[in-house]
Amino acid sequence: QQPEGATIGESGARLAPGVALAARSAGEEVGDFAHIAVNGLEVAPNSRGYNLAALTPDGELLDAAVFDTLLPGEAERLATWVAALPVDTIVAGAVADEASLNLTEEAVNALHSLGVSGDLRGRFRWSHAFIGVKGAAPGSALEALALVQPATVFAGLPVDAPQVTGAIHRLEVIPAP
């Protein structure tokens, strides 16, 4: 863990030390889920479409919403939600099932205002996960898009569950001089 906190992609923004943020996405054929976890606790609605969570650098959840862009009007609602966020708000996003069919230019531009560069239009049931910052340049977010596998991004420790298990392969004790 970085003592000054994890950097959010190339945006220059940072999470507070000790905050772990994970976004995991899977299109319908590769898992059909959208998970966003802050310090291992789920904050995403995990429903079809774009699941978004707005946070402070300290990991405080400001708002979480889902935009089922398979339905008419949802892409416009997504754009309005993003536009209302203050500059420098950290936003994690994950797509469950499908989000491309009715995705509009306005919605894609709203996602670009979070530092996202990906565009799911024409990419039926692709996985898309990101962690960005409102007001950051497109391409500066942590981002993953995938067709045949889930997409995952992390900022801070890669913790996406309340309990984490590990193993020690070797432990060597060296006597003090």
Side-chain angles (χ1 to χ4, degrees):
Q1 181 74 12
Q2 299 165 323
E4 66 278 0
T7 304
I8 307 296
E10 302 298 321
S11 70
R14 291 185 179 277
L15 287 172
V19 176
L21 180 56
R24 299 181 65 223
S25 164
E28 198 275 340
E29 286 87 356
V30 295
D32 190 12
F33 60 77
H35 297 298
I36 300 171
V38 180
N39 292 332
L41 300 175
E42 183 70 39
V43 298
N46 191 23
S47 294
R48 183 177 67 192
Y50 269 101
N51 292 254
L52 302 179
L55 305 129
T56 68
D58 292 326
E60 177 188 343
L61 181 65
L62 300 172
D63 194 13
V66 63
F67 305 94
D68 184 355
T69 52
L70 193 63
L71 302 174
E74 286 291 287
E76 291 75 16
R77 201 170 68 81
L78 181 153
T80 300
W81 188 86
V82 170
L85 295 173
V87 171
D88 295 329
T89 300
I90 295 169
V91 179
V95 168
D97 184 9
E98 160 52 25
S100 69
L101 282 181
N102 289 311
L103 198 60
T104 64
E105 184 76 21
E106 180 184 23
V108 170
N109 288 339
L111 294 172
H112 288 176
S113 78
L114 302 174
V116 171
S117 63
D119 182 345
L120 286 186
R121 291 176 294 178
R123 295 176 173 175
F124 186 68
R125 289 194 165 146
W126 277 48
S127 306
H128 187 200
F130 66 86
I131 301 171
V133 179
K134 175 70 182 283
S140 65
L142 296 169
E143 183 174 22
L145 289 110
L147 171 61
V148 295
Q149 64 189 23
T152 303
V153 292
F154 293 98
L157 292 174
V159 175
D160 63 355
Q163 296 181 345
V164 178
T165 304
I168 297 174
H169 176 69
R170 178 180 173 179
L171 178 64
E172 184 176 342
V173 178
I174 300 172

